[in-house]
Amino acid sequence: MSTQTITLTGHSIIAGREVVGTGGTTHGIDPSTNTELEPAYSLVDETQLAEATAAAEEAFESFSALHPETHAAFLERAAANIEAVGPELVARASTETGLPQARLNGELARTTGQLRLFASVVRQGDHRGVRLEPALPGRAPLPRPDLRQRKVPLGPVAVFGASNFPFAFSTAGGDTASALAAGCPVVFKAHNAHPGTGEIVGHALTEAVRESGLHPGVFSLVYGPGASIGQALVKDPAIKAVGFTGSRAAGTALMATAAARPEPIPVYAEMSSINPVFVFESVLRGNVDEFARAYVTSLTGSSGQLCTNPGLLFVPAGEAGDAFLTAVGRALADAEGATMLTPGIAASCRAGIDALRDQPGVDVVAQGREGSTENAPAPVVFASDVPTFSTNPVLQEEIFGAASLAIRYGSAAELADAARRMEGQLTASLFLTEADHATAAPLLPVLERKVGRILANGWPTGVDVGDAMVHGGPFPATSDSRTTSVGTLAIERFLRPVAYQNIPDALLPAPVQDDNPWHLNRRVDGRLQLADAQELAQEGAHS
Amino acid sequence: MSTQTITLTGHSIIAGREVVGTGGTTHGIDPSTNTELEPAYSLVDETQLAEATAAAEEAFESFSALHPETHAAFLERAAANIEAVGPELVARASTETGLPQARLNGELARTTGQLRLFASVVRQGDHRGVRLEPALPGRAPLPRPDLRQRKVPLGPVAVFGASNFPFAFSTAGGDTASALAAGCPVVFKAHNAHPGTGEIVGHALTEAVRESGLHPGVFSLVYGPGASIGQALVKDPAIKAVGFTGSRAAGTALMATAAARPEPIPVYAEMSSINPVFVFESVLRGNVDEFARAYVTSLTGSSGQLCTNPGLLFVPAGEAGDAFLTAVGRALADAEGATMLTPGIAASCRAGIDALRDQPGVDVVAQGREGSTENAPAPVVFASDVPTFSTNPVLQEEIFGAASLAIRYGSAAELADAARRMEGQLTASLFLTEADHATAAPLLPVLERKVGRILANGWPTGVDVGDAMVHGGPFPATSDSRTTSVGTLAIERFLRPVAYQNIPDALLPAPVQDDNPWHLNRRVDGRLQLADAQELAQEGAHS
């Protein structure tokens, strides 16, 4: 059933209430035809925005102290409610974004899977970071007090979604899921490129808040004029952290605003990455056509609009590299441009392609066809060399879309030098065989300083959502390299430690109480003690 | 033996070399007499500073990859080298800071203890944050790649020491120790209020670098004109994080510089805190004189120059509170001002006291005597009430020194309201008995949002250095509430995660290699596995 049975209202949702914005209206657009979509979305003004942040602040105390089971069940309800409207969601999102339904079905599963993964994190509880140091009254020269540490949520979080992942990095995406899992109420600034998708997800989340008996301020969804309401949200004193996925310009603007507040707050912005791929010569001894097709598939999927798109590819200068680039030319010749997310994004992509084409020492080596819909630029691969790359910063600029730059390199030393000159990236990929290990080994420490994830023999697109993933990296890939926006570690972004010294057990929060009612793993005197082992030991002692 | 046998050179130490600065000179001052101390200290210019940061950058790759045993032994050597010059250090520091030798002996032990604690952290290895997700080739709809995560050091760190802890928060203090433990080379901006102390410690550290066979760029100590060289250091592209302890004005200036860099970097600044103490009525039914003396001791120790000084004390309005304040008056009458760290700090303290005395609704309730040395203002306790406190921001300003403000409160609700209006703090202390638990309980969640450490029935001064301590808190107590500057968790400030996807074992760094050569606890598929348990299981499987 993909018939749309949901009536969209065009309203914001502030603490469970539908609110008609008094700050103008906007419309979604079908980017494949450039036609406006109904309904009109009314935009909130700053007074209405302040209702959302005030409600989030009000919700904080109870939400941050939820029992893990209630908390996890809420996240699971959110997932179930989203799944229940899956076909409607995918249909609307596909119309609003131009992304194909198959891709959106996968993204939806990732989004609900992510909410459930965080539910399991909440139940498991290691993110609470419990550390105990029992009192040592006899310690010399001074007795040691009883000290207990745990992590608490930062406070209400502002989240800005991405245009390119209308589910997984948007209304109930990774930032929202990890902030809610941490115990932080969320005020979500709806993405105006997929307003209907946002509304459907917003209702699913709001319903989960209600069904779970939580304070309605736990989640609000506001439509607003991009820059002004976004800035107002980040300036709001109730907001204690920001999650953002989008452009470098918008991300750095939010960083500046957050740093200039009377009380500066952390901003987790995932922004710009060209995801270098390093191809070693021995790899090109195999089937270069297959390898070229895989590159083109990674490059053109979702019309190239992925943060981990392989925008930069280092290939050996000479015959093998040339043969590979010729194969890329063959593979890309058949590729047709696909509708991009918005007319603005398509125009930026074309402008980026034009600018790169104009650089001295840069040539087009492969070119696809313009798509048959609106906003579907032809995919393209350029080529240049390390000296040009190292001296012209335009070659390091991200082109958001299906455009990539191949750089011919002469030696391993030249490769390492180019890597050292790169800005921070989300990923770096190595294609190599065992014969290249000695050559590649010195590159690893260089890449560790530049990127969040290093891959071997795989393309960077496709980010697994799990416990060991890092989707992050040094600036400008993100605003804060100390974390990730995908995977379970993302919950740490919204937590801070608090210590309790000699506090009577009756006044302590559950995570640090003597009898460990939440069955948490705890670090005691610097050594991890697993809850299971503690319980086994206690049972042993009792029997 | 406290005879000074060390000849001070007055030089900076850049990557193991003594360097005569070409940017002017400065002198230490004996604040008890306002006399200049020999030798003159030459100040580096920006070119010389750049040698230090370039050497730190050069040292990074080898230092960040040290075997834990080499790494820990280096920190232990640093501790031993400092101990070996302990008497000379304490003598010089006492002359330069006016702090009594007994206090400095304690601080020195804390400093070497801290280095050894971080050595144990390095050996134990949990800060490496290893997470593994083995490949699942059969997973549907997509196979899972092999994913491994570990934390790597950020890069070279700039550290700025504090005037009030010439050992524990200075040259080889907590920031230096935790950065070095994380694997980050340190460029230390010497504190010009204790230059000779800094030089002695700097040589001890430099010697430890040499004895351990490390790259000399692992540690540099530079003397420079405070603001300009400090700003240049934070702007230097090689520097990837900043540790700072000092004033709010200086800390926020560094934060702004770091945020405005082409590549913004984290700043860990510990700045300003008045450390509220909440006294419940039942406590005052006991011996108020003893309680008042304990308050005065906490207030006047180290001439009140402690970040956790009890600058704010809430007492019940009415008879019991008045009796307590009268007792404080008796206890403080006998107290004499002690030499403060510098003439500038003493002048600021006097100015702060004068400003507070001039506020409407603020009275002096207790006053000590001016000290007999220079720079020894009389300790003082003021009193006011909640309405005045809540409406006049001057009452929340830190007076660095032996000055405190008692606030009379009428009800628990008034107390909670005052707490809500407070800025971020390092600590909050509760004095209460079991009879007060019900009244105090609602205050706890308020305080958790405001402070890094909550104490019961103890004074905030005296910060235990261990695994569960938090010496941090929301702005302006620190620039980053997500961490601590004291205790083992401080190492996390200088680390970031990196993920490895399908990287061949031969190319992986030791912490994430299959056979776990460093015997680390690891999180596998989201569950902690202790190294000991793994080894036992393997032994079991083999036998």
Side-chain angles (χ1 to χ4, degrees), chain B residues 142-308:
Chain B
L142 288 171
R144 182 170 81 177
D146 178 277
L147 277 163
R148 298 164 193 239
Q149 183 185 123
R150 66 137 173 178
K151 288 192 172 165
V152 299
L154 288 176
V157 172
V159 178
F160 294 79
S163 57
N164 62 337
F165 278 87
F167 303 138
F169 285 86
S170 196
T171 318
D175 285 349
T176 298
S178 53
L180 291 175
C184 298
V186 167
V187 178
F188 187 83
K189 161 68 182 69
H191 202 295
N192 291 350
H194 50 262
T197 308
E199 186 188 339
I200 303 173
V201 175
H203 280 295
L205 262 178
T206 301
E207 201 51 25
V209 171
R210 201 190 53 76
E211 289 163 357
S212 305
L214 308 182
H215 188 293
V218 163
F219 177 77
S220 290
L221 168 75
V222 294
Y223 295 86
S228 61
I229 281 293
Q231 288 287 325
L233 182 54
V234 173
K235 280 180 190 160
D236 192 297
I239 296 297
K240 299 301 182 192
V242 178
F244 168 89
T245 310
S247 72
R248 183 168 178 173
T252 51
L254 294 183
M255 289 167 69
T257 302
R261 285 168 47 123
E263 178 198 13
I265 54 172
V267 173
Y268 302 104
E270 193 226 298
M271 297 179 290
S272 170
S273 182
I274 52 175
N275 304 298
V277 176
F278 300 87
V279 181
F280 287 81
E281 186 147 6
S282 67
V283 172
L284 300 180
R285 288 184 204 128
N287 184 339
V288 289
D289 277 300
E290 193 181 313
F291 188 52
R293 280 194 298 270
Y295 170 41
V296 166
T297 299
S298 177
L299 175 63
T300 57
S302 300
S303 202
Q305 302 165 116
L306 298 175
C307 351
T308 53

Side-chain angles (χ1 to χ4, degrees), chain A residues 57 60-61 124 126 131-133 139 143-145 147-150 152 154-156 240 255 259 262-264 266 268 432 437 440-441 444-445 448-449 451-456 464 466-470 474-475 480-483 488-489 492-493 495-504 506-507 509 521 523 526-528 530, chain B residues 57 60-61 124 126 131-133 139 143-145 147-150 152 154-156 240 255 259 262-264 266 268 432 437 440-441 444-445 448-449 451-456 464 466-470 474-475 480-483 488-489 492-493 495-504 506-507 509 521 523 526-528 530:
Chain A
E57 170 61 28
F60 180 79
E61 192 170 313
Q124 198 273 330
D126 280 348
R131 294 171 169 228
L132 306 179
E133 292 187 295
R139 190 184 65 173
R144 182 171 80 178
L147 278 162
R148 297 163 193 241
Q149 184 185 123
R150 66 139 174 177
V152 300
L154 289 176
K240 300 300 183 193
M255 288 167 69
E263 179 199 14
Y268 301 105
L432 77 184
H437 284 186
L444 265 287
E448 281 167 356
R449 300 194 66 188
V451 314
R453 177 167 56 117
I454 306 173
L455 306 82
D464 214 78
D467 197 56
M469 177 51 67
V470 177
F475 186 89
D480 190 335
S481 71
R482 292 164 292 176
T483 181
T488 58
L489 190 75
E492 307 258 350
R493 297 178 297 170
L495 299 168
R496 47 173 276 264
V498 171
Y500 304 83
Q501 181 171 325
N502 288 341
I503 302 286
L507 289 175
N521 298 328
R523 183 179 294 275
R527 299 280 151 181
L528 281 166
L530 303 186
Chain B
E57 170 61 27
F60 179 79
E61 193 172 313
Q124 198 273 331
D126 280 348
R131 295 171 167 228
L132 306 179
E133 291 186 296
R139 190 185 65 173
R144 182 170 81 177
L147 277 163
R148 298 164 193 239
Q149 183 185 123
R150 66 137 173 178
V152 299
L154 288 176
K240 299 301 182 192
M255 289 167 69
E263 178 198 13
Y268 302 104
L432 76 185
H437 285 185
L444 264 288
E448 281 167 356
R449 299 194 67 187
V451 314
R453 176 166 57 116
I454 306 173
L455 306 81
D464 213 78
D467 198 57
M469 176 51 66
V470 176
F475 186 90
D480 190 334
S481 71
R482 292 164 292 176
T483 181
T488 58
L489 190 75
E492 307 259 349
R493 297 178 297 169
L495 299 169
R496 47 173 277 264
V498 172
Y500 304 83
Q501 181 171 326
N502 288 341
I503 302 286
L507 289 175
N521 298 328
R523 184 178 293 276
R527 299 279 151 182
L528 280 167
L530 302 187

Side-chain angles (χ1 to χ4, degrees), chain A residues 386-480:
Chain A
V386 172
T388 310
F389 174 78
S390 298
T391 49
N392 184 350
V394 174
L395 276 64
Q396 280 208 49
E397 278 171 23
E398 182 183 20
I399 298 174
F400 189 67
S404 185
L405 172 62
I407 302 289
R408 295 186 179 91
Y409 69 90
S411 66
E414 207 185 30
L415 205 55
D417 186 57
R420 272 192 205 93
R421 287 165 190 274
M422 282 187 322
E423 292 191 300
Q425 308 287 344
L426 293 171
T427 69
S429 307
L430 305 169
F431 282 92
L432 77 184
T433 68
E434 212 174 321
D436 306 304
H437 284 186
T439 321
L443 200 57
L444 265 287
V446 178
L447 296 179
E448 281 167 356
R449 300 194 66 188
K450 295 287 181 178
V451 314
R453 177 167 56 117
I454 306 173
L455 306 82
N457 300 319
W459 297 95
T461 47
V463 179
D464 214 78
V465 181
D467 197 56
M469 177 51 67
V470 177
H471 189 65
F475 186 89
T478 78
S479 56
D480 190 335

Side-chain angles (χ1 to χ4, degrees), chain A residues 13-404:
Chain A
I13 310 171
I14 295 182
R17 294 175 300 112
E18 290 188 8
V19 172
V20 180
T22 55
T25 59
T26 187
H27 279 267
I29 284 176
D30 177 342
S32 69
T33 58
N34 283 346
T35 51
E36 242 178 40
L37 298 170
E38 291 303 323
Y41 276 80
S42 64
L43 307 176
V44 300
D45 60 22
E46 294 199 15
T47 309
Q48 295 176 312
L49 178 69
E51 290 169 25
T53 57
E57 170 61 28
E58 243 188 64
F60 180 79
E61 192 170 313
S62 58
F63 186 54
S64 65
L66 279 189
H67 188 278
E69 188 47 48
T70 316
H71 196 160
F74 158 59
L75 296 170
E76 287 164 344
R77 267 198 193 100
N81 290 355
I82 290 167
E83 261 164 7
V85 290
E88 292 88 341
L89 261 178
V90 167
R92 177 74 187 189
S94 185
T95 307
E96 288 184 328
T97 65
L99 293 169
Q101 298 219 0
R103 139 75 204 263
L104 288 168
N105 279 320
E107 187 186 331
L108 195 72
R110 171 177 168 174
T111 307
T112 53
Q114 202 159 247
L115 285 160
R116 292 192 174 104
L117 178 65
F118 277 111
S120 76
V121 167
V122 167
R123 279 201 185 88
Q124 198 273 330
D126 280 348
H127 66 291
R128 300 186 192 272
V130 175
R131 294 171 169 228
L132 306 179
E133 292 187 295
L136 296 175
R139 190 184 65 173
L142 289 171
R144 182 171 80 178
D146 178 279
L147 278 162
R148 297 163 193 241
Q149 184 185 123
R150 66 139 174 177
K151 288 193 170 164
V152 300
L154 289 176
V157 172
V159 178
F160 295 79
S163 57
N164 62 337
F165 278 87
F167 304 138
F169 286 85
S170 196
T171 318
D175 285 348
T176 298
S178 52
L180 292 175
C184 298
V186 167
V187 178
F188 187 83
K189 160 70 182 66
H191 202 294
N192 290 350
H194 50 260
T197 308
E199 186 187 338
I200 303 174
V201 175
H203 280 294
L205 261 178
T206 301
E207 199 52 25
V209 171
R210 202 190 53 74
E211 289 163 356
S212 305
L214 308 183
H215 188 293
V218 164
F219 178 77
S220 289
L221 169 75
V222 294
Y223 294 86
S228 61
I229 279 294
Q231 288 287 325
L233 182 54
V234 173
K235 281 180 191 161
D236 192 296
I239 296 297
K240 300 300 183 193
V242 179
F244 168 89
T245 310
S247 73
R248 184 169 177 171
T252 51
L254 294 183
M255 288 167 69
T257 301
R261 284 168 48 123
E263 179 199 14
I265 54 172
V267 173
Y268 301 105
E270 193 226 300
M271 298 179 289
S272 170
S273 183
I274 52 175
N275 305 297
V277 177
F278 300 87
V279 181
F280 287 82
E281 186 146 5
S282 68
V283 172
L284 301 180
R285 288 184 203 130
N287 184 339
V288 290
D289 277 299
E290 193 181 312
F291 187 52
R293 279 194 298 271
Y295 170 41
V296 166
T297 301
S298 178
L299 175 63
T300 57
S302 300
S303 202
Q305 302 164 117
L306 298 175
C307 352
T308 53
N309 197 44
L312 188 64
L313 182 94
F314 289 91
V315 293
E319 221 172 287
D322 288 344
F324 166 68
L325 291 179
T326 307
V328 171
R330 284 192 295 271
L332 199 63
D334 290 337
E336 188 174 289
T339 311
M340 296 193 76
L341 296 156
T342 70
I345 287 172
S348 289
C349 178
R350 290 186 204 277
I353 289 170
D354 290 346
L356 191 52
R357 189 187 286 119
D358 288 348
Q359 300 307 306
V362 176
D363 304 303
V364 173
V365 291
Q367 173 94 47
R369 295 194 311 276
E370 185 83 13
S372 55
T373 63
E374 296 293 324
N375 302 309
V380 57
V381 173
F382 296 93
S384 188
D385 54 27
V386 172
T388 310
F389 174 78
S390 298
T391 49
N392 184 350
V394 174
L395 276 64
Q396 280 208 49
E397 278 171 23
E398 182 183 20
I399 298 174
F400 189 67
S404 185

